[in-house]
Amino acid sequence: MELERGKRESERRAEQAGREIQERIERVERRCKKAEEVRRSEWEKLEGRVMTAQERQERRSDEFLRLITAVGQEHLRILQALGNDMRQGFAEIRADGEESRAQLRANTEAVLRMLDRLPPD
C-alpha cells in the first residue's frame, strides 16, 4: 500500500516537473521569437526597405541558431537544477540513514544491557 502511494506520488511529481520544464522551454521560445521580430523590424527601419528572400533566409538561419542556443542554455539550467535537487535528496536520505543506524545501534546496546542484567538460568 505504501509502495503504491509512493509510486503515485513519484509519478505525480514527474508529471509536474515535465509540465514546468515544458513551460520554461515555451517561454524561452516566445522570448526568442519576440526578440527576432524586434530585430527584423529594427533592421527594416534602418535599411528603409523590406528584406530580400536571401536576407530573410539568413535571418531565419540566425533566428534558428539563437533559438537553439537559448533552448540549450535553458536545458543546461534545468539539468543543473535537477542535479542540485538530486544531490540534496541523496544527502537527506544519507542523513536519515545515519540517524536510523544510530537509533538502531542505541536500541541494540540497550537490549544487550538488559540481557546482561537477567539472572543466569
Side-chain angles (χ1 to χ4, degrees), residues 4 21 23-24 43 49:
E4 185 80 21
I21 290 170
E23 289 171 4
R24 287 175 70 171
W43 184 90
R49 63 180 175 82

Side-chain angles (χ1 to χ4, degrees), residues 1-100:
M1 184 71 164
E2 187 67 30
L3 233 56
E4 185 80 21
R5 196 173 334 167
K7 184 178 178 183
R8 282 194 305 264
E9 179 65 21
S10 177
E11 289 172 355
R12 186 192 61 75
R13 283 194 316 261
E15 287 175 11
Q16 182 181 1
R19 284 192 301 271
E20 289 173 2
I21 290 170
Q22 185 65 33
E23 289 171 4
R24 287 175 70 171
I25 298 300
E26 288 172 356
R27 279 195 303 267
V28 168
E29 289 174 347
R30 283 192 300 269
R31 276 196 317 263
C32 286
K33 190 168 275 206
K34 186 176 181 180
E36 183 55 36
E37 283 297 316
V38 169
R39 280 192 293 279
R40 184 193 54 76
S41 66
E42 287 175 352
W43 184 90
E44 287 179 349
K45 286 178 189 175
L46 183 67
E47 290 294 313
R49 63 180 175 82
V50 177
M51 290 183 181
T52 65
Q54 176 65 28
E55 290 168 335
R56 278 196 305 272
Q57 182 58 41
E58 288 173 3
R59 282 295 219 191
R60 275 191 226 111
S61 298
D62 183 54
E63 176 185 358
F64 179 72
L65 290 175
R66 288 175 194 264
L67 176 64
I68 293 298
T69 301
V71 169
Q73 289 172 344
E74 188 65 22
H75 276 121
L76 284 176
R77 283 192 286 275
I78 289 167
L79 290 173
Q80 288 170 343
L82 287 173
N84 290 338
D85 289 347
M86 288 177 67
R87 277 191 289 280
Q88 181 181 0
F90 288 142
E92 290 172 3
I93 290 170
R94 196 174 312 116
D96 289 345
E98 290 172 6
E99 184 179 309
S100 296

